[in-house]
Amino acid sequence: MRRTALLAGVAALIAGVLSWPAQAAPTTFAHPGVTVSKGQLDFARAQVTAGAQPWKSAFDQMKASKYADLNRTPKPRATVECGSYSNPNYGCTDEREDAIAAYTDALAWYITRDERYAKKSIALMDAWSAVIKEHTNSNAPLQTGWAGSSWPKAAEIIKYTYTGGWPGSGRFATMLRDVYLPKVIGGSNSNGNWELSMMEAAVGISVFLEDKTSYDRAMATFRTRAAAYVYLASDGDLPRTVPSQNLTTRDKIVGYWQGQSTFVTGLTQETCRDFTHTGYGISAISHIAETSRIQGQDLYGTDVGERLRQALGFQAKYQLGAAVPGWLCGGSLNLGLGPVTEVGYNALHNRLGVAMTNTEALTRQNRPAGSDNLFVAWETLTHGDNPN
């Protein structure tokens, strides 16, 4: 019986893969087009200018943060070394936070048109592109994914909206192509949030580089990983798997799912680990789906959107305080989902009209959503109830 279920799951996965479009990359890339579009930026700017909420408070929160400090001194280094849980931490925090700062400054520039912020964003990007050569140690792929998710968001806004010029944009592109993309494009067989964050970086970098081949490769890896990260009842008795991980028995799958043996719609591969890492995975899924939509292929109407909706709703229910049943993670959850609901909630509820009661309650409770200091930042400002 178990073998039959496994074979059925593999068949479903293969059928799903074969049904995906071979080419995901657009004929012409849209810019700015990594997670946030020009239309979304224009909407956010108009709302902030009008003093409308929650965008004005979200902007004020961003402007008051350390990331918007015009006196920030970048701390680039040639080799960023990150061990497990960033120990050792040689440049890991500095790199991630300088990348978030570059994105923060780019947003501040767009909304205020104060070119000091554009110049600061450029200074941060130029400082790193002049120095960094590699990422090393065990957390290098994840570190590269996190920082590599923020850099192209900043670069897209500056390159395509700032009229003051960016002479170093070519060197920055070379940095993304030579230092970041090779580290993330091959994916990971670690916990699912790793590969999802790595694919977010790969997709964003591919947009900035207008690299259709890498975009298609990253998107295909993402589709497989997203299907293996969030369980739907339609998947069968067992969750889908990533073929390269050789999770060929029920026991192996249960072990990979943190010992959880009862599978219900919306459960993720890391729910029973903790909600913080689960939030990383959910956030990366939403960011890639949003970038894909901006680039002309809307994944929200596919299984990606359904998995995102169900993952958000399932985790939000317990984050809001629902009692944890004994069959779920032994009756105990490590909460702390993080500021990760705005993008998916806006896309699925506001654009598509899908009811998301728990996700809506959590989203409104957490506004304005700030930064996780890793790769998520200011999404109430950019995506909160944004119709574009």
Side-chain angles (χ1 to χ4, degrees), residues 18 35 41 53 75 97 118 122 145 175 219 275 328 371 381-382:
L18 292 176
T35 309
L41 290 167
Q53 299 296 356
K75 298 178 180 178
E97 295 194 350
I122 289 170
M175 176 192 80
M219 198 62 74
F275 273 28
L328 177 61
S371 175
L381 175 64
T382 56

Side-chain angles (χ1 to χ4, degrees), residues 228-231 239 253-260 263 267-269 272:
Y229 194 70
V230 181
Y231 176 79
I253 292 172
V254 169
Y256 185 59
W257 281 62
Q258 322 296 326
Q260 176 69 14
F263 301 103
L267 183 79
T268 81
Q269 182 255 315
C272 293

Side-chain angles (χ1 to χ4, degrees), residues 49-93:
T49 301
Q53 299 296 356
W55 306 276
K56 179 62 166 60
S57 62
F59 174 75
D60 290 343
Q61 175 195 44
M62 182 187 81
K63 190 95 175 298
S65 75
K66 63 182 179 180
Y67 297 114
D69 183 359
L70 289 170
N71 294 314
R72 183 182 187 87
T73 301
K75 298 178 180 178
R77 61 172 65 208
T79 299
V80 174
E81 181 180 355
C82 307
S84 182
Y85 293 93
S86 294
N87 183 22
N89 183 338
Y90 298 131
C92 315
T93 301

Side-chain angles (χ1 to χ4, degrees), residues 155-202:
E156 282 280 301
I157 294 172
I158 294 299
K159 182 175 180 179
Y160 292 99
T161 73
Y162 177 57
T163 57
W166 180 16
S169 64
R171 187 179 71 193
F172 187 81
T174 298
M175 176 192 80
L176 293 181
R177 182 182 297 109
D178 295 348
V179 179
Y180 289 82
L181 189 58
K183 204 74 173 183
V184 297
I185 192 68
S188 167
N189 285 325
S190 185
N191 282 301
N193 81 86
W194 277 51
E195 187 161 84
L196 290 167
S197 291
M198 291 163 69
M199 289 311 106
E200 178 184 344

Side-chain angles (χ1 to χ4, degrees), residues 1 20 109 118 132 137 173 193-194 236 282-283 295 315 347 358 388:
M1 185 67 178
W20 301 341
W109 139 254
I132 190 167
N137 214 320
N193 81 86
W194 277 51
I282 291 173
S283 184
Q295 298 304 328
Q315 267 64 220
N358 291 323
N388 295 287

